[in-house]
Amino acid sequence: MVSQELVTMLGKRLPPGRVVTDPEVVAGYARDQAALAPYGTALAVVRPQDTEQVRATVAFCAEHGVPIVPRGAGTGLSGGANALDGCVILSLAAMDAIVQIDAAERLAVVQAGVVNDDLRRACAEHGLWYPPDPASAPWSTIGGNVATNAGGLCCVKYGVTRDYVLGLEAVVGRGEVVRLGRRTAKGVVGYDLCGLMVGSEGTLGIVTEITLRLRGTRPAERTVVGYFDSLTDAGEAVSAVTEAGVVPSALELVDRYCLLAVDEWKRMGLAAEGEVLLLGRTDTPGQAGEDETDTMLRCFERAGATWSTRSTDDAEAEALFAARRLAYPALERLGPVMTEDVCVPRALVPEMLARIERAARDNDVHIANIAHAGDGNLHPLIIAPDDEAVRVRVERAFDQIIDDALALGGTVTGEHGVGLLKRRGLHSELGPAVVAMHEAVKNALDPAGIFNPGKVFGSPTS
Amino acid sequence: MVSQELVTMLGKRLPPGRVVTDPEVVAGYARDQAALAPYGTALAVVRPQDTEQVRATVAFCAEHGVPIVPRGAGTGLSGGANALDGCVILSLAAMDAIVQIDAAERLAVVQAGVVNDDLRRACAEHGLWYPPDPASAPWSTIGGNVATNAGGLCCVKYGVTRDYVLGLEAVVGRGEVVRLGRRTAKGVVGYDLCGLMVGSEGTLGIVTEITLRLRGTRPAERTVVGYFDSLTDAGEAVSAVTEAGVVPSALELVDRYCLLAVDEWKRMGLAAEGEVLLLGRTDTPGQAGEDETDTMLRCFERAGATWSTRSTDDAEAEALFAARRLAYPALERLGPVMTEDVCVPRALVPEMLARIERAARDNDVHIANIAHAGDGNLHPLIIAPDDEAVRVRVERAFDQIIDDALALGGTVTGEHGVGLLKRRGLHSELGPAVVAMHEAVKNALDPAGIFNPGKVFGSPTS
């Protein structure tokens, strides 16, 4: 069937205006924020307003073998939401209702398109807190966070998105609407299919509604700031904090290159102070929190901080963390950012940072770094060069970093997801037997083969 | 092939002594602690000492279509480890090595047969804590805990087994040895097959080794004790604690019938004080913990406690919690215990307790209660009567309780697992579309159909 006919037929199954074919609009949905990831041309963008419209779309696509690429805000960094030729882009952005916040049960029910920060604000009004805080929180949706099992700054103490997903509604298979998981605090009936959907990057179905576990309001945080002469010194401080038994509520690393990018944008003067900034926080209340702050400061000093202090000014501490969150968009102002997302055991952070420096030297490129250092999740990154020869060297350096992370017992993606860019890494990390298990599960739950096909564990050359 | 030949052939693939066929020994492995669950006659018990022996057993069974029933300590309460006719019972009990405790990374690597309390003791020596604490902790194995996603007393604040399983080694399919999950703090490469294995009750493969996340030593706990005239009064206290925003580190309910059973065994005089005992704890340090204790006490008093107090005597508080843990074995001394395991939203605990009382009245039976009340996980239970007519009434009462739990948005099993006894409940709770997803996953990952077949979502009449 020619594609125009298909789109017309799909349009008849949905209310007017839900299927968009204007080529310019469709092109605007063609890719996420992963620089250099390939993308194709979609047939159409579908913007459902409710689960029934998602169901109708999935049923139609299953009937006609049309691939579906689900999409939240498109802030992903691995090409997971990139269009495939002849696909339907299913944008959940219009399904943005906060259905319920239940203070007594400490849970929220939200549609997939709710923006992370909007949910966090709504929870705060009830004295509740939804912890997962990816740097994209002002824009990214809970549905997208669920698809990638998003992390963030507070994960080092409070875990990632999967730890907060109690249940969900999804459209699966050939258009069945199912509820997975639960609303109760505990429950062990059957397989954890809810947890399986989290982080499956749209390859197993379309998540339409999510039931999230919440926490009570976070206690006030104390902040420790340190500047270091080198990445490895800062890495030693991170390792020392872990060994001292402190679980910080955040432990973030930003290097001079990233600080300069923020300075250039926001005029904060951050880069004047040193090469590498380390920001530690604790939200443990009372004397125990005081003690943890002292311990962190001592760890910073002993690891060779050129300057370190307890921040006594909340506004200043907030500004530093705001700068950390702005590092990625600040770099994006300078050009498409190529980023890695390796995660290594915490004690090996200094070793991994040293290996990143070596990979840069070996391939004669400059690699910048931001990191959720406290959980070993490092983001070496670079502004994609125009020069093709330089780009080849960058890619070689990044391949070396991936190999090093795996050699240290790490993973190729700590929080960004596999999408298109990390497929080769996935195969190296998991090996053929585990990939075969993935394929078996994918084939079992996606019999029509329509959900984001080729992403995650598809062949990297496809 | 006749079964004797099969067993002889299997014996040749394993070191001497690993395959046990002595009928008395085999009979001793025929069932777990689920009263009245059916069980069959196994061909043999295999007691592997390492992963290679598990692999050889699985490969053999896949070749010859022999069902495998994995087994830890056999303390399960739903028949999950019960023998099937012609099966091999695979006892992991001899694989009981604590492979590693890594204090810097806060993780432990253990073989499946390690006993929960043994691991907890070993962790304590490193200043670390493995939270999941099912009442069976002195006997049950980590492998069994993983198979059922075991809960316990501290789950109300610290989560269940799945929350602590970072990675695992398993023998899957037709004898492939795979590693799932990771050792790093974060990681999103591929599907969460590790989490899928947790709680799968041996239907997707044999877990041989587990990598567990640990916490630092738990702070000292404060205890609040209350006696109430009725279950519903105690339920109101539970609900009030939740509404007050307190997350207790334990909130346990034990009724007079269970207290009497403990008294009869241990002569503690617990039942003299009142009808229902509620035990609340907090481990929040400092003034915040003081405040939580005060709030809990106030909630107890306002809900009509006939007597309540902050325990100032640690030994006394420990004795009360020990009594709580002993309630189940104390009842088992009186006869086979039939127990339910429903979990409802926290705010509905009083309503659910009232419905349990109604189910008892409606069917003219006496139902006793213990409960992890703080997370809505209730264990109505009864000593199985000899009288067939009474037993029919008990079963009718329990069916009514299951229906009530589902009507209140609850689940048929909070922590015991489905095994054989909760299969009908699973079908009611999940519905056909979600059961079909289970079957698809099961068939995909167990192509030979050998892993604990018929358990969990098999037909309740099979």
Side-chain angles (χ1 to χ4, degrees):
Chain A
M1 200 177 299
V2 294
S3 45
Q4 189 45 50
E5 262 179 78
L6 274 174
V7 172
T8 308
M9 283 167 63
L10 174 57
K12 287 182 185 158
R13 300 223 193 155
L14 294 167
R18 293 302 104 207
V19 179
V20 182
T21 53
D22 177 323
E24 262 181 60
V25 176
V26 173
Y29 285 82
R31 46 183 303 207
D32 63 19
Q33 290 183 33
L36 309 187
Y39 56 95
T41 305
L43 283 186
V45 174
V46 176
R47 298 185 296 193
Q49 293 159 307
D50 58 31
T51 300
E52 168 50 28
Q53 293 172 18
V54 176
R55 190 207 58 72
T57 307
V58 170
F60 178 87
C61 290
E63 246 170 73
H64 298 280
V66 178
I68 303 175
V69 176
R71 180 187 169 100
T75 57
L77 293 168
S78 61
N82 281 13
L84 302 164
D85 282 332
C87 80
V88 159
I89 298 279
L90 190 61
S91 165
L92 281 300
M95 289 177 62
D96 63 351
I98 297 175
V99 179
Q100 185 189 19
I101 294 181
D102 185 332
E105 301 296 329
R106 291 191 172 209
L107 59 80
V109 180
V110 302
Q111 286 187 312
V114 169
V115 169
N116 182 303
D117 268 358
D118 291 345
L119 172 63
R120 292 151 64 82
R121 261 189 300 273
C123 290
E125 283 170 22
H126 292 78
L128 295 166
W129 177 40
Y130 174 67
D133 57 349
S136 63
W139 312 283
S140 64
T141 63
I142 299 296
N145 294 171
V146 167
T148 55
N149 188 21
L153 274 64
C154 74
C155 301
V156 60
K157 182 162 184 176
Y158 291 102
V160 293
T161 302
R162 183 180 288 114
D163 298 315
Y164 294 87
V165 179
L166 267 178
L168 49 81
E169 179 193 74
V171 182
V172 299
R174 301 179 188 275
E176 295 84 46
V177 179
V178 294
R179 286 205 162 267
L180 305 173
R182 59 187 200 277
R183 273 180 76 102
T184 51
K186 288 156 71 181
V188 292
V189 77
Y191 299 149
D192 184 17
L193 297 181
C194 173
L196 185 70
M197 292 294 289
V198 180
S200 64
E201 304 190 35
T203 63
L204 298 177
I206 310 298
V207 173
T208 48
E209 189 185 279
I210 306 111
T211 302
L212 295 162
R213 192 197 306 270
L214 305 174
R215 288 179 167 268
T217 308
R218 183 180 207 172
E221 289 180 287
R222 295 173 173 88
T223 302
V224 177
V225 183
Y227 275 95
F228 296 81
D229 269 345
S230 75
L231 276 181
T232 40
D233 282 359
E236 292 294 350
V238 170
S239 183
V241 168
T242 301
E243 261 172 60
V246 174
V247 180
S249 52
L251 186 51
E252 296 289 316
L253 178 153
V254 195
D255 77 1
R256 183 185 173 76
Y257 187 83
C258 300
L259 295 175
L260 279 170
V262 177
D263 282 347
E264 202 175 294
W265 188 18
K266 300 288 177 182
R267 313 273 157 221
M268 291 176 75
L270 297 163
E273 306 291 336
E275 287 299 314
V276 182
L277 170 64
L278 202 57
L279 297 170
R281 273 189 160 171
T282 169
D283 61 5
T284 305
Q287 186 57 43
E290 282 295 310
D291 295 346
E292 287 183 358
T293 313
D294 290 344
T295 304
M296 272 200 278
L297 188 58
R298 216 160 43 236
C299 290
F300 281 25
E301 285 164 358
R302 285 191 191 154
T306 52
W307 183 80
S308 62
T309 185
R310 302 166 60 121
S311 174
T312 48
D313 177 346
D314 281 353
E316 179 198 69
E318 266 315 313
L320 287 167
F321 272 89
R324 158 61 188 93
R325 287 192 197 92
L326 287 175
Y328 200 88
L331 290 163
E332 281 189 312
R333 292 177 68 243
L334 309 177
V337 178
M338 297 167 71
T339 179
E340 273 305 334
D341 176 38
V342 295
C343 189
V344 296
R346 292 182 183 95
L348 299 179
V349 167
E351 170 67 17
M352 188 63 219
L353 287 169
R355 289 189 184 207
I356 290 170
E357 291 190 309
R358 197 183 313 144
R361 275 199 313 277
D362 288 354
N363 298 284
D364 192 23
V365 291
H366 181 84
I367 296 176
N369 281 280
I370 50 181
H372 304 304
D375 40 29
N377 189 193
L378 314 180
H379 297 309
L381 41 80
I382 203 160
I383 308 300
D386 286 332
D387 185 331
E388 184 56 31
V390 180
R391 189 173 292 179
V392 169
R393 293 211 307 275
V394 171
E395 280 169 3
R396 209 179 298 137
F398 276 14
D399 284 347
Q400 191 171 326
I401 288 169
I402 288 283
D403 291 345
D404 280 329
L406 291 176
L408 295 180
T411 174
V412 302
T413 176
E415 58 178 11
H416 291 172
V418 177
L420 293 168
L421 292 180
K422 296 297 169 62
R423 289 180 299 176
R424 195 184 306 274
L426 174 140
H427 285 267
S428 304
E429 183 172 336
L430 298 184
V434 176
V435 170
M437 291 174 76
H438 279 74
E439 285 165 351
V441 168
K442 164 75 172 169
N443 293 336
L445 295 181
D446 180 15
I450 53 172
F451 295 116
N452 222 358
K455 303 283 173 72
V456 183
F457 51 87
S459 160
T461 55
S462 70
Chain B
M1 201 177 299
V2 294
S3 46
Q4 190 45 51
E5 261 179 78
L6 273 175
V7 172
T8 308
M9 282 168 65
L10 174 57
K12 286 183 185 158
R13 300 224 191 154
L14 295 167
R18 294 301 103 208
V19 179
V20 183
T21 53
D22 177 321
E24 262 181 62
V25 177
V26 173
Y29 285 82
R31 47 181 301 208
D32 63 19
Q33 290 184 32
L36 308 187
Y39 56 94
T41 304
L43 283 185
V45 174
V46 176
R47 299 187 294 192
Q49 294 159 306
D50 57 31
T51 300
E52 167 51 28
Q53 294 172 18
V54 176
R55 190 206 59 73
T57 306
V58 170
F60 178 88
C61 290
E63 247 170 72
H64 298 280
V66 178
I68 303 175
V69 177
R71 181 185 167 99
T75 56
L77 294 169
S78 61
N82 281 14
L84 303 165
D85 281 333
C87 81
V88 160
I89 298 279
L90 191 62
S91 166
L92 280 301
M95 289 177 61
D96 63 351
I98 296 176
V99 179
Q100 185 189 20
I101 295 181
D102 184 331
E105 300 296 330
R106 294 193 170 203
L107 58 82
V109 180
V110 302
Q111 287 187 313
V114 169
V115 169
N116 181 302
D117 267 358
D118 291 346
L119 172 62
R120 292 151 65 81
R121 260 189 300 274
C123 290
E125 285 170 22
H126 292 79
L128 294 167
W129 177 40
Y130 173 66
D133 57 348
S136 62
W139 312 282
S140 64
T141 64
I142 299 297
N145 293 172
V146 167
T148 55
N149 189 21
L153 275 63
C154 75
C155 302
V156 60
K157 182 162 182 176
Y158 291 102
V160 294
T161 302
R162 183 180 288 117
D163 299 315
Y164 293 89
V165 179
L166 266 179
L168 49 81
E169 179 193 74
V171 182
V172 299
R174 299 177 189 277
E176 295 85 47
V177 179
V178 294
R179 286 204 163 267
L180 305 173
R182 58 186 201 278
R183 275 178 74 100
T184 50
K186 288 157 70 182
V188 292
V189 79
Y191 298 151
D192 185 16
L193 297 181
C194 173
L196 185 69
M197 293 294 288
V198 179
S200 64
E201 303 189 36
T203 62
L204 297 178
I206 311 297
V207 174
T208 48
E209 189 186 278
I210 305 111
T211 303
L212 295 162
R213 191 197 306 269
L214 304 174
R215 287 179 169 267
T217 308
R218 183 180 207 171
E221 289 180 285
R222 296 172 171 89
T223 303
V224 177
V225 184
Y227 276 95
F228 296 81
D229 268 345
S230 75
L231 276 180
T232 39
D233 283 359
E236 293 293 350
V238 170
S239 183
V241 168
T242 301
E243 261 173 58
V246 174
V247 180
S249 53
L251 186 51
E252 296 289 317
L253 178 153
V254 196
D255 78 1
R256 183 184 172 77
Y257 187 84
C258 300
L259 294 175
L260 278 169
V262 176
D263 282 347
E264 200 174 294
W265 188 16
K266 300 288 178 183
R267 312 272 159 223
M268 290 177 76
L270 297 163
E273 306 291 336
E275 287 298 314
V276 182
L277 170 65
L278 202 57
L279 297 169
R281 271 187 161 172
T282 169
D283 62 5
T284 304
Q287 187 57 44
E290 281 293 310
D291 296 346
E292 287 183 359
T293 314
D294 289 343
T295 304
M296 272 199 280
L297 188 58
R298 216 160 43 236
C299 291
F300 282 25
E301 286 164 357
R302 285 192 191 156
T306 51
W307 183 81
S308 62
T309 185
R310 302 167 60 123
S311 173
T312 49
D313 177 347
D314 282 352
E316 179 198 67
E318 264 316 313
L320 287 168
F321 273 89
R324 159 62 187 95
R325 286 191 198 90
L326 287 176
Y328 201 86
L331 290 164
E332 282 188 313
R333 291 175 69 244
L334 309 178
V337 179
M338 297 167 71
T339 179
E340 272 304 332
D341 176 37
V342 294
C343 189
V344 295
R346 292 181 182 97
L348 300 179
V349 167
E351 170 67 17
M352 188 65 219
L353 287 169
R355 290 188 183 208
I356 290 170
E357 291 189 309
R358 197 183 314 145
R361 276 199 314 275
D362 288 354
N363 297 284
D364 191 23
V365 291
H366 183 85
I367 296 175
N369 282 280
I370 49 180
H372 304 305
D375 40 32
N377 188 192
L378 314 179
H379 297 309
L381 40 80
I382 203 161
I383 309 298
D386 286 333
D387 185 329
E388 184 56 31
V390 181
R391 190 173 292 180
V392 168
R393 294 210 306 276
V394 171
E395 281 169 4
R396 209 179 300 138
F398 275 16
D399 284 348
Q400 192 171 327
I401 289 169
I402 288 283
D403 291 346
D404 280 329
L406 291 176
L408 295 179
T411 175
V412 302
T413 176
E415 58 179 10
H416 291 172
V418 178
L420 293 168
L421 292 181
K422 297 296 170 64
R423 289 179 299 175
R424 196 184 304 273
L426 174 140
H427 285 267
S428 305
E429 183 172 336
L430 299 184
V434 176
V435 170
M437 291 174 76
H438 279 75
E439 286 165 351
V441 169
K442 165 76 171 168
N443 293 336
L445 296 182
D446 180 15
I450 53 172
F451 295 115
N452 222 358
K455 305 282 174 75
V456 184
F457 50 87
S459 161
T461 55
S462 72

